[in-house]
Amino acid sequence: MSKLVITRDSNYRNYPLLDYDGPGRGFYTAILDRLIDRLEYQLAAHGKVLMIRLVAKYPDEVDAEKSNQCFQYFMEEYRRKLMIHGFSPQYVWVREQHTSKNPHYHFVLFLNANRIQYFNRLREVRWLWVKAICKFNPGAQATISSHLIHKDQSVYHSQQINHGLIVTRNNRALQEEAIRFCSYIAKINTKEATPFNCNCFHASQLPENRKV
């Protein structure tokens, strides 16, 4: 964790960042880079992108493993499902933990908005997360709550973002706003509890000729 570069500026790579002045002020630039690279790649490829920010939690009755193996398995299963739907997904996720016994995960999806105009697919993603938890935690019951993933609440121009934000190639102001509200997941605070030799973030792979 200590090797990650931190910025406390209000802008990064010509994008504004959240005005966050709480505990652990600052943002990890490596996470910001993943967010910006995937937004710019998807805009170049599709012209418009649907961005969704979600949170995944473990049920209280499960003691999560110290690695990210369960969550990364879930993300790849979900990515494949989104590929089948034709949404050309990219993603960035981060692991956070504060006072709870288990970590939780924030993740941002970047989808081809020519194929999906709004996000209303919580049942599918929740089912896949429960399936992953049961696979990596044999003692977990298949009847555990399915309401372990929810949308991060965000506001744009006084409007609640309930089904994602569509960002277009020719609207720079909207691109900046998208990175601003997603920069929340790059904050330093709550990531320092990540176990040794366990990543606090990960992202989908871009083509080799693009940034990763």
Side-chain angles (χ1 to χ4, degrees), residues 32 50 55 88 96 100 108 125 162 166 170 180 191 209:
L32 294 173
L50 177 64
V55 182
S88 303
E96 296 188 346
S100 61
V108 178
V125 67
N162 291 321
I166 291 184
N170 60 357
R180 189 191 70 81
K191 295 183 179 64
N209 61 335

Side-chain angles (χ1 to χ4, degrees), residues 59 61-62 130 133-134 137-145:
E61 60 266 35
V62 168
V130 168
I133 291 172
C134 292
N137 300 272
Q141 299 296 317
T143 55
I144 61 177
S145 171

Side-chain angles (χ1 to χ4, degrees), residues 11-209:
N11 282 266
Y12 181 74
R13 286 175 56 180
N14 296 319
Y15 287 94
L17 305 179
L18 278 175
D19 185 16
Y20 179 75
D21 198 28
R25 185 176 69 87
F27 302 89
Y28 288 120
T29 61
I31 300 174
L32 294 173
D33 284 333
R34 287 355 183 242
L35 292 166
I36 294 170
D37 290 347
R38 277 142 193 81
L39 174 61
E40 292 183 348
Y41 171 78
Q42 291 288 68
L43 286 173
H46 307 297
K48 58 181 180 179
V49 180
L50 177 64
M51 292 180 61
I52 309 99
R53 205 176 77 190
L54 302 170
V55 182
K57 298 181 178 180
Y58 281 94
D60 292 337
E61 60 266 35
V62 168
D63 290 322
E65 77 285 348
K66 298 302 182 183
S67 73
N68 296 313
Q69 189 177 6
C70 176
F71 187 76
Q72 184 57 32
Y73 169 84
F74 152 74
M75 283 302 305
E76 281 302 302
E77 288 290 294
Y78 190 39
R79 183 191 64 81
R80 283 190 282 271
K81 182 72 70 173
L82 293 171
M83 286 289 291
I84 291 172
H85 293 319
F87 299 153
S88 303
Q90 294 288 338
Y91 65 77
V92 180
W93 63 253
V94 301
R95 174 190 175 119
E96 296 188 346
Q97 189 170 359
H98 187 38
T99 58
S100 61
K101 69 172 183 176
N102 288 327
H104 64 274
Y105 295 86
H106 294 266
F107 59 107
V108 178
L109 300 174
F110 304 83
L111 307 179
N112 177 3
N114 297 298
R115 298 296 301 270
I116 178 171
Q117 297 294 306
Y118 63 94
F119 184 81
N120 192 21
R121 311 179 67 89
L122 279 177
R123 180 178 297 181
E124 179 179 64
V125 67
R126 284 170 170 169
W127 178 81
L128 287 170
W129 178 224
V130 168
K131 180 182 175 183
I133 291 172
C134 292
K135 176 180 174 66
F136 285 86
N137 300 272
Q141 299 296 317
T143 55
I144 61 177
S145 171
S146 63
H147 296 281
L148 298 171
I149 290 184
H150 62 85
K151 301 172 187 174
D152 270 353
Q153 298 301 307
S154 303
V155 176
Y156 178 62
H157 284 187
S158 301
Q159 297 295 315
Q160 196 77 42
I161 302 174
N162 291 321
H163 300 299
L165 184 66
I166 291 184
V167 186
T168 57
R169 185 187 295 159
N170 60 357
N171 190 331
R172 177 64 187 182
L174 193 54
Q175 295 167 30
E176 292 178 357
E177 177 60 20
I179 293 300
R180 189 191 70 81
F181 89 79
C182 282
S183 67
Y184 173 82
I185 77 169
K187 70 184 189 303
I188 299 170
N189 190 36
T190 69
K191 295 183 179 64
E192 294 296 343
T194 303
F196 183 70
N197 286 336
C198 180
N199 292 330
C200 70
F201 72 95
H202 189 67
S204 55
Q205 290 295 311
L206 297 179
E208 291 184 1
N209 61 335

